[in-house]
Amino acid sequence: MVGSSHEALHRIFQKDPALLTRALQRVLHVPFPEPREIAALNVDLTEIEPIERRVDTLLRAETDEGTYLLVVESQGKTDERKRGSWSYYLSYLYEKYRCEPVLIVITQSSATARWASRPIRLGFPGWDSLTVRPLVLGPDNVPVIADERQAEGDVPLAVLSAMTHGRGPQAAAILKSLASALRTIDPDSAAVFVQFIDSCLADPQAKQMWRELMTAIQYFWRHPLAEQVREEGREQGLEQGLEQGRAEAKAEMVLHILEWRGIPVPDSVRERVNACTDLDRLEVWAQRAVRATNAAELFAEE
């Protein structure tokens, strides 16, 4: 027996499944294709065995316009399985918290960013039952922060810039500006940012440059990551003393910036840079190396 209108309204389609497609076509004027076969499935959607599902980061934002759940997903490459998992995350979070979920995808790849920004449409084409529109942060829209003052004005944004543009042509200027900006914040926060950058830099030259930049920052030598850098430094002769080691590291940084940018370094320039022990002068040369068109411009005003 059918005991309520609720049951009757949906069970009629169990009795005659083809009625549903006829209703779509004739009542709603949806051009749903004629099915070759329709089969009734189990209506119980309970998951008997727990399935582990985790988002990368989940934040709750209270605003004057309401409460939002910010779902942050870090994506390295395209993955069509995300069509299902991202849709599931948002539906589940809304059902659990009754707050509007917002999906934010962050990537270091322009191709992945283009893929992730495409809307996920579930349902019949043109009459989507569910549409997911990810908000995507990547190399094409995260600003390039290569100016020290701009980096100091928003250090976390400068860190994000370095993480997303770490393999681009402006990486040297970005990392140099960020290294300077890190001196303006508390050492503990800076040390965390240092690790973020070190983990994200896939370009070996960029990572080496970043570690050389960090050797000149006092707080960094108190951080566990510094042990790895110090060990590498010992192999390069930096064990002769911290002060001398800083000068040698900064001199190498100057030369690395030029080489990384594809600028030839004559022996005379290399010898002069390596012989310098004045940290302030080396700092000036490093700033010039970021924008120089030839190696001789390091000493243009001297």
Side-chain angles (χ1 to χ4, degrees):
M1 287 289 293
V2 176
S4 68
S5 61
H6 170 82
E7 270 196 278
L9 282 171
H10 68 83
R11 285 187 59 180
I12 186 174
F13 298 116
Q14 295 178 16
K15 175 64 176 175
D16 184 356
L19 172 62
L20 186 56
T21 59
R22 293 200 300 276
L24 291 175
Q25 295 165 350
R26 300 176 187 177
V27 179
L28 298 180
H29 306 292
V30 175
F32 195 87
E34 197 67 36
R36 292 191 300 271
E37 180 182 356
I38 297 181
L41 303 179
N42 192 332
V43 298
D44 188 356
L45 304 182
T46 304
E47 294 183 350
I48 300 175
E49 296 183 2
I51 299 177
E52 183 175 348
R53 298 182 188 271
R54 295 177 183 272
V55 298
D56 291 334
T57 290
L58 180 62
L59 305 172
R60 181 178 181 133
E62 302 284 352
T63 75
D64 292 338
E65 299 177 5
T67 301
Y68 296 91
L69 297 175
L70 305 181
V71 184
V72 184
E73 286 281 286
S74 176
Q75 193 67 24
K77 59 183 180 181
T78 61
D79 183 356
E80 290 303 321
R81 293 176 300 178
K82 293 298 184 179
R83 283 171 49 86
S85 58
W86 285 346
S87 303
Y88 174 89
Y89 295 160
L90 300 182
S91 299
Y92 174 84
L93 289 170
Y94 179 76
E95 179 65 19
K96 181 176 182 179
Y97 294 101
R98 291 295 169 177
C99 298
E100 300 294 339
V102 179
L103 175 61
I104 303 164
V105 179
I106 181 166
T107 180
Q108 294 176 298
S109 165
S110 294
T112 303
R114 289 191 294 271
W115 163 80
S117 64
R118 296 201 303 263
I120 300 171
R121 305 183 189 278
L122 303 182
F124 184 67
W127 282 268
D128 309 321
S129 296
L130 176 64
T131 302
V132 176
R133 297 179 61 88
L135 301 174
V136 182
L137 296 172
D140 296 331
N141 56 14
V142 172
V144 173
I145 299 181
D147 177 78
E148 290 185 11
R149 289 190 177 181
Q150 191 179 1
E152 291 173 4
D154 193 336
V155 175
L157 182 60
V159 172
L160 182 62
S161 176
M163 290 193 295
T164 52
H165 297 283
R167 64 177 67 188
Q170 300 191 71
I174 294 171
L175 296 177
K176 183 69 172 56
S177 299
L178 177 57
S180 177
L182 287 175
R183 296 187 178 98
T184 66
I185 64 175
D186 69 276
D188 291 336
S189 295
V192 173
F193 290 145
V194 167
Q195 277 197 309
F196 288 167
I197 300 298
D198 194 79
S199 298
C200 279
L201 291 175
D203 185 334
Q205 287 184 309
K207 178 167 287 191
Q208 180 63 26
M209 177 188 172
W210 177 244
R211 291 184 173 184
E212 289 169 358
L213 282 167
M214 291 301 96
T215 60
I217 299 179
Q218 180 74 29
Y219 76 82
F220 182 61
W221 291 86
R222 301 198 302 268
H223 195 273
L225 181 60
E227 184 58 37
Q228 182 178 352
V229 178
R230 284 199 294 270
E231 185 61 32
E232 294 173 1
R234 293 188 189 100
E235 296 173 1
Q236 301 169 13
L238 299 182
E239 71 280 354
Q240 298 175 7
L242 183 59
E243 193 66 25
Q244 181 180 351
R246 285 177 181 163
E248 291 181 9
K250 191 171 284 289
E252 289 189 12
M253 178 192 68
V254 173
L255 298 174
H256 272 307
I257 292 175
L258 291 174
E259 292 168 351
W260 192 28
R261 295 183 60 222
I263 297 176
V265 182
D267 290 341
S268 59
V269 172
R270 188 179 302 276
E271 291 171 3
R272 183 172 177 179
V273 172
N274 283 330
C276 182
T277 58
D278 186 332
L279 290 175
D280 291 335
R281 178 170 295 178
L282 287 167
E283 175 69 20
V284 171
W285 290 350
Q287 293 176 5
R288 291 176 183 171
V290 171
R291 299 173 177 83
T293 57
N294 62 75
E297 289 184 16
L298 294 183
F299 322 120
E301 299 177 12
E302 299 177 13

